[in-house]
Structures are given as C-alpha cells and as structure tokens.
Amino acid sequence: FGEALDEVLRLIDRAYLPWSQDVLSAADLGALKVRDAEGKRLRAALDAARLRWAEGLGTDLILVARLRPPLRLADTQGGAGDATGPRALVLGQRQEVFAWSPWTQRYRQLTSEEGRVLAAARSRDGRRIAYVTAEKLVLGADGLTALRGVAVSELDLGTLASLGHGAIEGDALRVEILGVGTGFAYRVVQGPDKIETLGLGEGGLRPRNVPRHARAVVTLTGHGVLDTEQSAPLDERCGGSARVVQPKIGGPMGGPPTIIVTGARRGSVNVTIGGPHGAGLTGLPIP
C-alpha cells in the first residue's frame, strides 16, 4: 500500500489534473482510499496539490482546447431526425478548459469532464469560471439541433474548488452564460415558449431574476459556440492580447480555430495556441 501511495503521489505532483480525477475514480485504488493512514495522506496530498495547481491562475488566459481530434458529425449538415423521431448522437469533442500563462507559457488543465466541455466563461472580476458540458447532440425532424445531458458548473480560480453544479432537464436548443455582477446566470432555451433564466445554488439550478441589461458572454447551440471572433486582454502587467483566428477557407476540413497571443512590447513574438486540434477563448464549433 505504501508503494502504491508513493506512485499516486508522484502522479498528482506532476499534474493535479487530470491525475487527481483518475485517482479518485479508479476502482483499483479503492482499498488504498479507505485505509486510515494511506487514505488520510492521500486526501491531504490532493488538497495541497489542488492549491499549488491554482497558484497564479488569476493572471492566466482561460481557454477551451481539444486534446485529440473530435468525433466528426458530418451528417448534421442539413441533417434531421427520421420519421420515427429525433436522432441522438454521442458527442465526442474531447475538449477541456485550460489556463495558459503569458509569463511562463505553461498550460494547466482545469477540468476533467471526459472531454465534454463545450463552452466556458470567466467572471468579470476574473476570480471564477463557468463551463457547460453536454453528452449528446439531438437532430430533430424539423431540422433543429439540440443538446442533451447538459450541465453547468462553476469553479473558484483561487482554489479550484467547486462553486456549484447543476443539470438541465430535457433538451436545450440554446444555452447562454450571462455575466451578472461578479458571477453568472444561465438562460436556457428549450422551445419557443420555454425559456428560463437560472442560477446555481445549493442543490443545483434554480430560477433566478437578473437585471435587464445582463448580457450573454457566451452563447452555445447545437452547432457549438457562436460568435467565435473574440479577443481578450492579457494580464495588465505584461500587456498584449489574445484573439481567435478562424481557419482559411479551403484548408484541410476547414481547419480548427486557434488563438493568437500578441505581446504589447515592440519586437515581441506572437504565440499560437491550439495545436493541430484547435482552441477558442470560450469554446469551439461542433464539426
């Protein structure tokens, strides 16, 4: 048990995410987690590693990036459900939320949601993030696309502690993340006459009243995140900005969007974020 714990601690120290999630979900480590001495050491190590992993996130750029090529849903282009009803396709976007440091150019993974993250937003004060996950894409007989198995979550960037999680019942045609003060609300469109504004609280999502001027900072549909032509400033101490660049027409499969980071100082070199699979400041299109 001691040797097993030492190996687990090395993994957590190397990268709190995704290894902490793998450790917590691994059935093979069940005996280790319930033992008094080893279990106590493991829980203490996870808490310490989480806080170390969160250090400096306040100055990092937050983005959604793909770890591997996504499962392409080519027949969604103009496709629809058959005469028997809508078709539900499993989403395999392989996307998570990451942080990128303009100082060290280091990446840190912030979520471990089996690649189901479709959209993310940062709060106005920069201290928390909200993100949306979904399990399936639904093709309706009317040609409309909807998302099924949708859930929203919020994280504290100072500690990576969960600030809430809630599932949306039924299919969603549109999910908007609204900026409300230093937090978030969620406008969910499930039909022409079924629109709700929700907030995260104890026990999940609950109806919430928001100011009329509250605007959507991210809009998610069955086609992915809309309005991907975005930009964001970097930490004011280093200056510069990040912007989403769309692929050139005629590229291989259109090519995924990437993020270009431009430094404020003369002679600074632009940095491209996204690799071969793509990245966006709030999310990516569903291919």
Side-chain angles (χ1 to χ4, degrees):
F1 287 105
E3 292 176 358
L5 179 61
D6 289 342
E7 191 64 31
V8 166
L9 296 184
R10 278 194 289 271
L11 290 173
I12 295 171
D13 185 63
R14 179 176 180 178
Y16 173 74
L17 282 171
W19 288 116
S20 62
Q21 191 66 32
D22 291 345
V23 167
L24 291 173
S25 61
D28 292 350
L29 296 176
L32 182 66
K33 288 177 278 191
V34 298
R35 287 173 62 86
D36 288 340
E38 289 83 359
K40 187 178 296 183
R41 281 187 61 197
L42 177 58
R43 289 188 292 272
L46 285 169
D47 285 341
R50 174 173 52 81
L51 294 177
R52 287 197 305 272
W53 200 248
E55 289 177 359
L57 286 177
T59 60
D60 282 7
L61 182 71
I62 304 299
L63 58 124
V64 176
R66 289 186 183 133
L67 293 162
R68 290 175 290 165
L71 176 66
R72 294 185 64 81
L73 306 173
D75 55 357
T76 65
Q77 304 299 323
D82 56 29
T84 62
R87 290 185 296 142
L89 308 175
V90 175
L91 282 169
Q93 297 305 98
R94 297 162 175 171
Q95 297 173 182
E96 300 288 353
V97 181
F98 287 82
W100 179 83
S101 170
W103 299 97
T104 65
Q105 299 193 15
R106 173 195 185 195
Y107 294 90
R108 277 179 281 182
Q109 188 172 330
L110 302 186
T111 61
S112 186
E113 297 285 355
E114 299 181 348
R116 293 174 178 164
V117 176
L118 297 183
R122 190 172 194 157
S123 63
R124 187 176 302 170
D125 63 1
R127 296 181 178 179
R128 66 170 65 185
I129 60 170
Y131 63 92
V132 184
T133 60
E135 297 178 358
K136 294 182 179 181
L137 181 69
V138 180
L139 305 181
D142 52 6
L144 293 177
T145 58
L147 297 169
R148 180 173 294 174
V150 180
V152 298
S153 303
E154 295 181 16
L155 283 179
D156 184 319
L157 285 180
T159 62
L160 283 185
S162 173
L163 297 175
H165 173 84
I168 296 172
E169 296 183 4
D171 297 344
L173 297 172
R174 185 183 185 101
V175 179
E176 298 176 354
I177 303 178
L178 309 177
V180 181
T182 58
F184 303 100
Y186 307 90
R187 184 178 294 126
V188 181
V189 179
Q190 296 182 295
D193 302 316
K194 191 174 182 182
I195 302 175
E196 279 190 295
T197 302
L198 308 169
L200 269 178
E202 291 186 13
L205 288 166
R206 296 288 184 271
R208 177 178 177 180
N209 294 321
V210 300
R212 289 185 177 181
H213 63 267
R215 67 181 186 89
V217 293
V218 179
T219 300
L220 174 66
T221 72
H223 298 287
V225 169
L226 301 182
D227 302 323
T228 54
E229 292 286 354
Q230 306 157 16
S231 62
L234 299 182
D235 177 57
E236 60 183 10
R237 290 177 296 173
C238 66
S241 62
R243 73 184 190 279
V244 176
V245 176
Q246 296 299 315
K248 293 182 180 179
I249 298 176
M253 294 191 302
T258 55
I259 300 171
I260 302 296
V261 177
T262 304
R265 297 180 179 84
R266 180 179 298 179
S268 58
V269 178
N270 292 352
V271 177
T272 301
I273 298 175
H277 310 309
L281 294 173
T282 58
L284 291 156
I286 294 176

